[in-house]
Amino acid sequence: MYGHTEAVDAAEAETTTATVVVPSALVGFAGGRSQISVEVTEGSAGGPRSPLTAVLDQLQREVPSLERRIRDERGQVRGHVNIYVDGVDIRELGGLGTVIVPGATVHIIAAVSGG
């Protein structure tokens, strides 16, 4: 029974974060990290949840050089960047107000151009 309690505690600890997946083109701006765990702390009785803006604000505090490549000076997602939450484009969900829950995966996709 003791081992079960430890497993539950570990699982509960892990469920307070979401994962931001950084594209290889931007890994250099993320300190070499391709994945960044962010706390999902806001919420009520329904459990922790954060709007995407709060997740991006956390990125801004942790890795400002990365976040500047995701949002412009007005706080809007840059035109060449797409963001997906659990495989769904945020434009189909709620934009920057999209709710991020523990265990969610946020993919940042930066368009690459060339000729």
Side-chain angles (χ1 to χ4, degrees):
M1 199 57 125
Y2 183 73
H4 175 71
T5 303
E6 286 179 356
V8 170
D9 290 344
E12 287 176 3
E14 290 178 22
T15 60
T16 62
T17 62
T19 301
V20 177
V21 179
V22 180
S24 59
L26 298 179
V27 165
F29 299 104
R33 296 182 288 173
S34 61
Q35 294 187 1
I36 301 170
S37 291
V38 293
E39 288 293 319
V40 179
T41 57
E42 298 176 14
S44 58
R49 50 195 330 107
S50 295
L52 179 58
T53 52
V55 169
L56 295 177
D57 289 347
Q58 187 175 344
L59 277 182
Q60 183 177 29
R61 289 187 296 277
E62 292 182 27
V63 281
S65 59
L66 170 65
E67 199 278 337
R68 282 192 300 269
R69 279 145 183 87
I70 298 170
R71 289 191 291 185
D72 63 20
E73 60 282 347
R74 298 174 323 220
Q76 299 300 308
V77 176
R78 294 188 180 276
H80 65 278
V81 173
N82 294 308
I83 300 177
Y84 293 82
V85 175
D86 292 331
V88 181
D89 192 321
I90 63 166
R91 290 176 284 218
E92 297 175 22
L93 296 172
L96 289 170
T98 298
V99 174
I100 308 300
V101 296
T105 302
V106 178
H107 280 87
I108 309 296
I109 309 293
V112 178
S113 61

